[in-house]
Amino acid sequence: VDMYAKCGSLKHARKVFEKMPERNIVSWNTMIGGYAQHGYGSEAIQLVERMRQEGVKLDHITFIGILSACSHAGLVDAGCHYFDCMVHDHGIVPTEEHYTCMIDLLSRAGQLDKAKDCLKKMPFHPTVVVWMSLLSACRIHGHVELAKYATECVLELEPQRSAAFVLLSNIYAAASRWSDKASARKMMEDRGVKKEAGYSCIEVSNHLHRFVVDDTSHPQLEEIHAELKRLSLQMLELGYASDTRSVLLDVEEDQKKISLYYHSEKLAIAFGLIRTPAGTCIRIIKNLRMCGDCHTASKCISKIVGREILVR
């Protein structure tokens, strides 16, 4: 169940789950966690309610799963309901993980003031994970000042956390505060902090192929570019427009569109399409978050080729 869920094959995970002759709390929590990971909030809720109907006792991990599922699906009211239910109906004392899920839930939904209140009320010192969750939400909702404060809190706890510098720098760039972005990058350099290079991997014929942005090393690069060019024309016909907000550089709009064209996800997807049989699923593994444009482009390509594309 866990393997299928982590690979994005939730139908297969659920099929194995339903065929189990006996299910313990680990089985239920694994399936709920799989739904949570991929944003299937309603399915996770249905499973939790089925647990209650079948008399299975929910534990603290069950609630981490359902709160995470609500967070990824934007189900704020449901998440708050389950948090209260955990405390008052099940007598479970919230842990750091539960509060982190709640802060993530509220932050993602843009309720940053409520997230800050929750953070202040939690009976623990906020961890790096909590502050990074708030910082990520600031990137989504463009809250510059709170992002600056959250970054300071992250760096107090973990001075070499490169992701904090990168997020703050990107938030400044999205707000066209280029001098602030340059200052954040300089601080990063002065501290000797190295940014992790982003990459996308795809397995084809038992061999792992790795791509980076603007990759020029792959032996089939010419074919990959040709496939991307073919797809881009069809994407335009479907109404796709490049989301240049994902390009956090002070350059002209045309240059931004060109840079989006060669993101590692797109290269990996194009390679998968030319090297795997029609109809098979394309699975991409990334080490960093996918940008908004690649997310939209992946859905568009999936529609064009009639193939499932999973990126995680």
Side-chain angles (χ1 to χ4, degrees):
V1 173
D2 187 52
M3 180 197 71
Y4 278 127
K6 284 180 176 174
C7 290
S9 298
L10 290 171
K11 288 181 181 177
H12 290 97
R14 186 60 181 263
K15 191 174 181 180
V16 173
F17 174 81
E18 295 296 348
K19 283 185 174 181
M20 294 176 72
E22 291 182 19
R23 287 184 286 270
N24 59 20
I25 189 64
V26 176
S27 314
W28 291 92
N29 288 345
T30 301
M31 193 67 241
I32 291 167
Y35 281 135
Q37 185 180 14
H38 295 282
Y40 287 85
S42 297
E43 288 79 359
I45 288 172
Q46 288 170 11
L47 212 55
V48 167
E49 293 307 314
R50 183 174 151 192
M51 284 178 76
R52 297 170 76 171
Q53 291 166 9
E54 295 187 14
V56 181
K57 187 177 180 181
L58 283 62
D59 67 5
H60 70 287
I61 295 174
T62 311
F63 283 101
I64 290 173
I66 192 62
L67 291 174
S68 178
C70 290
S71 176
H72 286 99
L75 304 174
V76 177
D77 290 341
C80 293
H81 162 75
Y82 280 110
F83 187 85
D84 290 339
C85 175
M86 174 183 73
V87 176
H88 299 116
D89 297 346
H90 294 266
I92 296 173
V93 177
T95 64
E96 245 177 78
E97 288 85 353
H98 296 118
Y99 277 105
T100 300
C101 286
M102 285 302 296
I103 291 165
D104 190 54
L105 169 74
L106 296 167
S107 298
R108 283 174 182 262
Q111 299 183 20
L112 296 175
D113 288 335
K114 288 185 178 180
K116 283 194 294 180
D117 288 341
C118 183
L119 191 150
K120 289 174 184 176
K121 290 175 183 175
M122 63 187 282
F124 312 98
H125 289 296
T127 62
V128 168
V129 175
V130 172
W131 288 117
M132 285 300 296
S133 177
L134 195 61
L135 182 55
S136 295
C138 290
R139 180 189 64 83
I140 295 168
H141 300 288
H143 203 305
V144 178
E145 294 310 313
L146 182 56
K148 186 178 177 182
Y149 175 66
T151 302
E152 290 170 357
C153 293
V154 170
L155 297 178
E156 276 183 25
L157 297 168
E158 202 174 308
Q160 298 295 304
R161 186 82 171 205
S162 63
F165 285 105
V166 173
L167 273 172
L168 181 63
S169 172
N170 290 348
I171 290 165
Y172 281 141
S176 297
R177 290 173 56 166
W178 302 111
S179 60
D180 288 327
K181 178 191 175 180
S183 297
R185 290 287 182 173
K186 187 176 186 306
M187 188 191 304
M188 188 176 177
E189 290 172 10
D190 291 344
R191 294 192 184 190
V193 179
K194 301 293 184 183
K195 178 187 174 184
E196 184 181 7
Y199 60 81
S200 298
C201 296
I202 180 171
E203 184 181 357
V204 175
S205 302
N206 296 318
H207 180 70
L208 198 65
H209 297 259
R210 176 167 161 166
F211 296 87
V212 297
V213 66
D214 292 327
D215 206 318
T216 58
S217 63
H218 200 278
Q220 289 186 259
L221 195 63
E222 192 173 322
E223 294 170 66
I224 291 168
H225 283 183
E227 179 69 2
L228 278 175
K229 187 174 181 179
R230 183 186 69 80
L231 289 168
S232 66
L233 296 173
Q234 292 180 273
M235 287 161 68
L236 290 172
E237 291 175 7
L238 283 181
Y240 163 79
S242 300
D243 183 2
T244 54
R245 292 174 300 176
S246 302
V247 181
L248 303 172
L249 300 171
D250 190 12
V251 295
E252 295 298 322
E253 193 71 10
D254 286 346
Q255 288 178 278
K256 290 183 178 183
K257 289 180 179 178
I258 292 169
S259 70
L260 285 171
Y261 193 70
Y262 299 110
H263 276 196
S264 64
E265 299 93 325
K266 294 188 180 83
L267 296 172
I269 289 170
F271 175 70
L273 291 173
I274 62 178
R275 284 292 308 274
T276 58
T280 56
C281 178
I282 302 291
R283 300 180 192 278
I284 310 295
I285 303 295
K286 286 186 56 62
N287 66 326
L288 299 177
R289 185 188 293 272
M290 190 181 197
C291 80
D293 180 75
C294 285
H295 187 264
T296 303
S298 298
K299 291 193 288 185
C300 198
I301 293 170
S302 176
K303 193 176 291 184
I304 290 168
V305 299
R307 295 170 69 170
E308 189 177 13
I309 297 175
L310 294 171
V311 183
R312 64 178 293 271

